[in-house]
Amino acid sequence: MKENSRILWDEAGLEAAVAEERPILMIDILRATTTIVTAFAMGATAVSVVDEDLDTGEGMIRIGEKEGIKLEGFDYDNSPSTISSIDLSGKEVLLKTTNFSKAYVKAKRTRVYAGSFLNLSACIKLVSSTDSLEIYPCRRRGRIALEDLFAALIIVSGEVPAVDVLFELVEGGASAKNLISLGKADDIEFACRIDQFDILPVSEPGGSYFRLGSVG
């Protein structure tokens, strides 16, 4: 990783990076950025991210959750394992989540990338080739999520653990335990798959949606 890249440990760091217009790689393994990457892999043309409650997204595929539960009136839960079996070719997606949406709304004045284990090599390549890049492990209930911190450290080091080791580490976190309690363990296994897709979603400064960017 370039010396002027760094992991942002709190929301104050995120806000400072945005004020300085530094590009940010955001990581929300369970489940938002994994869902975003999966949606593009399934053919989506754009993923808009919202935080407020509003009646938008007409004609779009609406994906959302609150505290892990599918939002009323939405088409799908924020479940990447579910999205992976849906043909989204030519579709635009609207995404609303409990934690990622809030962080993204704060960050979207600068360039934002979506990182996950599914596109891990693309993230490592991005970090090694981009000046002044910040890495933001997203927070759950005000605290860094264990799996997001793992992902950030792996991207920084470039040292990728075996999938079974990765799964064991992620499964022990609070986010995973919550999903297990909700009967959504499939999303944990899916999110721990490494390098399924060679894609890199990016949101340009001042925008409100992700599109596919260049890996190289």
Side-chain angles (χ1 to χ4, degrees), residues 14 18 24 26 102-112:
L14 175 65
V18 173
I24 300 170
M26 300 188 75
K102 292 181 176 63
Y104 172 76
V105 167
K106 291 180 180 179
K108 67 181 184 178
R109 287 191 291 115
T110 191
R111 179 173 290 108
V112 178

Side-chain angles (χ1 to χ4, degrees), residues 117-180:
F117 292 129
L118 299 183
N119 65 336
L120 184 60
S121 287
C123 294
I124 293 173
K125 188 173 183 179
L126 171 73
V127 168
S128 68
S129 62
T130 305
D131 290 329
S132 305
L133 180 76
E134 312 282 21
I135 304 173
Y136 185 67
C138 287
R139 307 174 75 79
R140 180 177 183 267
R141 297 179 178 176
R143 296 183 177 182
I144 291 178
L146 187 65
E147 63 278 359
D148 300 335
L149 178 57
F150 286 153
L153 293 173
I154 290 168
I155 291 168
V156 167
S157 68
E159 298 292 331
V160 182
V163 173
D164 58 341
V165 173
L166 181 63
F167 178 78
E168 184 176 351
L169 292 171
V170 171
E171 192 179 32
S175 302
K177 290 177 180 178
N178 180 56
L179 288 177
I180 291 169

Side-chain angles (χ1 to χ4, degrees), residues 77-118:
D77 179 20
N78 176 29
S79 168
S81 63
T82 298
I83 300 306
S84 70
S85 64
I86 299 169
D87 183 5
L88 295 176
S89 298
K91 300 288 187 180
E92 295 187 10
V93 170
L94 180 78
L95 178 68
K96 185 176 187 295
T97 78
T98 305
N99 298 296
F100 179 78
S101 288
K102 292 181 176 63
Y104 172 76
V105 167
K106 291 180 180 179
K108 67 181 184 178
R109 287 191 291 115
T110 191
R111 179 173 290 108
V112 178
Y113 299 92
S116 69
F117 292 129
L118 299 183

